């Protein structure tokens, strides 16, 4: 059994930027030790596919951090303030989660996603035109980043002139998802900047909500204002929280998905050439990337009751840290798990979650990635890396900051 001190040491290594480019050997080391029990921190770390799947499916798994024993202890001691802003539905549990998600889903219907495809294709074509003219490019700043920003801003109705500041604030807020406080007990660097970015985003989105109440448009905020079920509507705070969540979840993760897939195909040019010749292969590339190098590397749940996961008893209120990136290379689940194989017969993964918290934006993320990757490889069938890739500091939403290519 791994001691609590050893478990803490392994988790701190996950936070080390030196492991950002390739955290998978460390994930494997953790997975081989089985669940990490950390009673002093009221936390258990799961890293096998079976255990992570059980936690995500378990009816007593909760997403509301206010149910955590540690959080309640800190509140009682005055070590942290009560929750102020309304959280997005990702961080709520039924019945609040059910209500908010059902209303938001009306404005995120499959029809809306399908209707976006021509606009996504046109956006990708424009970005690739600029790269072709330059003769080289950075697949992050020139494609993977601006595409989902443009799409989510189009959905929300954010003016083009504000997109740059909007996306910069979103990138800072995304870093707040890293479990630095959970693992180390200390606040993260730039914590104040992230809080300030979050405050600015909420204020900005609140202004848009007020504008759309008097002047509705064909955008997501107007649809959320109009969304109603059984006489129930979203409050202004709930709309802001929902848009904030969709912005972070729908932006950073899609950037990582597109970039991680492109990088893997650049490492194995046979897959790049095959996709360039056959755009129908894009779905297989996307699904294997979601398994092999997922945009969301870890997730957390709170035990809403005493639970048993595998051979481990988890006490009510304890935190369960799920290392999804480790689970999706579990040899008990996959043949040759450390090999990128888009031709696998089927790919089950946990990258979009399971159960009531299954990712609302999964169809849009898949669509953006398929269009971007198929058009990228068709336009530049002989692309090659031009420099070493650079990674962002993010742990949870791990991804590339730069991926230079030449054509």
């Amino acid at each position: 059994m791994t001691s609590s001190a050893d478990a803490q040491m392994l988790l701190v290594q996950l936070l080390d930027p030196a492991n950002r480019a390739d955290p998978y050997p460390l994930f494997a080391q953790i997975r081989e030790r089985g669940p990490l029990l950390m009673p002093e921190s009221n936390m258990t770390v799961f890293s096998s596919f079976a255990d992570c799947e059980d936690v995500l499916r378990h009816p007593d798994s909760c997403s509301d951090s206010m149910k955590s024993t540690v959080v309640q202890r800190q509140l009682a001691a005055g070590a942290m303030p009560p929750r102020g802003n309304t959280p997005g539905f990702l961080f709520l549990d039924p019945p609040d989660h059910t209500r908010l998600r059902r209303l938001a889903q009306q404005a995120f219907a499959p029809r809306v996603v399908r209707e976006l495809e021509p606009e996504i294709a046109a956006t990708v074509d424009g970005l690739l035109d600029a790269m072709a003219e330059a003769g080289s490019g950075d697949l992050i700043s020139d494609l993977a980043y601006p595409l989902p920003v443009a799409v989510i801003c189009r959905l929300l109705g954010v003016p083009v002139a504000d997109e740059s500041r909007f996306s910069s604030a979103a990138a800072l807020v995304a870093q707040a998802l890293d479990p630095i406080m959970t693992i180390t007990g200390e606040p993260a660097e730039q914590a104040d900047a992230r809080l300030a970015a979050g405050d600015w985003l909420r204020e900005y989105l609140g202004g848009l909500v007020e504008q759309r109440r008097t002047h509705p448009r064909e955008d997501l905020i107007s649809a959320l204002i109009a969304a109603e079920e059984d006489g129930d509507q979203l409050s202004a705070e709930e709309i802001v929280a929902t848009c904030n969540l969709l912005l972070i979840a729908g932006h950073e993760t899609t950037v990582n998905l597109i970039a991680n897939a492109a990088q893997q195909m650049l490492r194995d040019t046979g897959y790049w050439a095959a996709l360039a010749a056959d755009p129908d292969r894009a779905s297989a590339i996307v699904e294997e990337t979601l398994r092999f190098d997922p945009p969301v590397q870890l997730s957390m749940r709170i035990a809403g009751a005493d639970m048993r996961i595998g051979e481990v008893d988890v006490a009510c209120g304890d935190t369960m840290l799920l290392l999804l990136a480790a689970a999706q290379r579990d040899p008990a689940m996959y043949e040759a798990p450390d090999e990128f194989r888009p031709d696998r017969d089927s790919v089950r993964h946990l990258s979009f979650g399971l159960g009531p918290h299954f990712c609302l934006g999964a169809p849009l993320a898949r669509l953006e990635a398929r269009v971007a990757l198929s058009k990228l490889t068709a336009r530049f069938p002989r692309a090659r890396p031009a420099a070493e890739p650079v990674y962002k500091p993010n742990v949870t939403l791990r991804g590339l900051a730069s991926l230079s290519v030449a054509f």
Side-chain angles (χ1 to χ4, degrees):
M1 183 67 67
T2 301
S3 72
S4 206
D6 288 342
Q8 177 83 5
M9 180 189 69
L10 288 169
L11 293 178
V12 169
Q13 288 183 56
L14 277 182
L15 303 178
D16 186 346
N19 289 313
R20 203 66 74 245
D22 185 12
Y24 295 103
L26 181 57
F27 278 131
Q29 186 179 352
I30 294 172
R31 188 181 58 242
E32 288 164 4
R33 295 183 180 221
L36 303 182
L37 310 183
M38 305 176 66
E40 295 88 348
S41 303
N42 292 96
M43 182 166 70
T44 304
V45 182
F46 293 105
S47 51
S48 74
F49 190 97
D51 287 347
C52 289
E53 183 179 39
D54 283 353
V55 172
L56 292 173
R57 290 190 184 279
H58 201 290
D60 291 322
S61 286
C62 299
S63 294
D64 187 351
S65 63
M66 301 303 288
K67 297 177 180 178
S68 159
T69 296
V70 172
V71 169
Q72 288 301 317
R73 188 184 299 141
Q74 291 176 332
L75 286 171
M80 66 179 292
R83 181 157 64 194
N85 299 299
T86 301
F89 55 81
L90 180 64
F91 306 104
L92 293 174
D93 297 312
D96 292 332
H97 170 267
T98 307
R99 167 182 166 267
L100 293 181
R101 183 183 172 102
R102 187 181 293 127
L103 288 170
Q105 197 163 334
Q106 295 178 36
F108 224 76
R111 173 185 57 80
V112 176
V113 174
R114 287 194 301 270
E115 290 175 353
L116 284 170
E117 184 165 2
E119 187 170 338
I120 291 171
T123 301
V124 171
D125 285 337
L127 294 169
L128 296 180
D129 287 344
M131 293 170 69
E133 185 175 346
S136 63
D138 184 333
L139 292 186
I140 309 304
S141 61
D142 297 336
L143 176 64
Y145 193 83
L147 172 61
V149 167
V151 172
I152 199 67
C153 286
R154 155 73 175 81
L155 277 173
L156 293 176
V158 173
V160 174
D162 294 338
E163 284 186 9
S164 177
R165 187 175 180 189
F166 199 67
S167 59
S168 297
L172 270 174
V173 174
Q175 294 176 18
L177 295 174
D178 291 347
I180 294 173
M181 177 72 82
T182 302
I183 293 173
T184 67
E186 300 293 332
E189 294 181 14
Q190 287 192 302
D192 291 340
R194 294 170 189 174
L195 288 172
D199 290 341
W200 181 86
L201 268 178
R202 283 188 292 272
E203 183 177 350
Y204 180 91
L205 290 167
L208 286 182
V209 170
E210 291 308 307
Q211 291 176 28
R212 297 300 186 270
R213 286 196 186 280
T214 53
H215 302 288
R217 298 181 184 178
E218 293 293 325
D219 59 32
L220 184 59
I221 291 178
S222 300
L224 288 172
I225 292 170
E228 184 174 0
E229 184 167 303
D230 298 328
D232 186 19
Q233 288 184 297
L234 296 170
S235 68
E237 281 191 2
E238 289 170 337
I239 293 173
V240 167
T242 298
C243 291
N244 204 11
L245 167 64
L246 295 176
L247 168 68
I248 306 303
H251 167 216
E252 287 290 319
T253 54
T254 307
V255 174
N256 295 349
L257 174 57
I258 294 170
N260 292 354
Q263 182 189 38
Q264 202 54 46
M265 289 191 294
L266 286 169
R267 288 172 173 166
D268 189 334
T269 54
Y271 291 124
W272 186 285
L275 181 56
D278 180 7
D280 288 340
R281 295 178 61 89
S283 290
I285 294 288
V286 169
E287 296 308 309
E288 177 67 348
T289 301
L290 286 164
R291 179 201 72 83
F292 180 80
D293 198 11
V296 181
Q297 300 260 295
L298 52 90
S299 182
M300 283 199 294
R301 293 290 188 270
I302 307 298
D306 290 345
M307 297 168 53
R308 187 165 180 82
I309 301 298
E311 300 299 319
V312 176
D313 290 319
V314 181
C316 179
D318 277 8
T319 298
M320 295 174 286
L321 181 61
L322 312 181
L323 304 185
L324 303 179
Q328 293 178 171
R329 293 201 184 190
D330 187 346
M333 181 65 186
Y334 305 99
E335 179 184 351
D338 292 318
E339 295 180 16
F340 183 74
R341 290 185 178 181
D343 55 353
R344 293 176 188 273
D345 291 338
S346 64
V347 181
R348 284 185 62 211
H349 59 72
L350 307 173
S351 287
F352 290 127
L354 291 171
H357 283 284
F358 185 83
C359 178
L360 189 64
L364 179 57
R366 284 173 161 135
L367 174 62
E368 289 181 60
R370 288 197 305 267
V371 172
L373 294 168
S374 58
K375 284 183 171 289
L376 171 67
T377 53
R379 178 71 72 90
F380 307 117
R382 291 180 294 279
R384 63 188 186 278
E388 284 296 311
V390 177
Y391 279 83
K392 294 180 288 190
N394 305 30
V395 178
T396 302
L397 303 184
R398 170 184 167 273
L400 290 152
S402 175
L403 182 58
S404 299
V405 291
F407 308 125

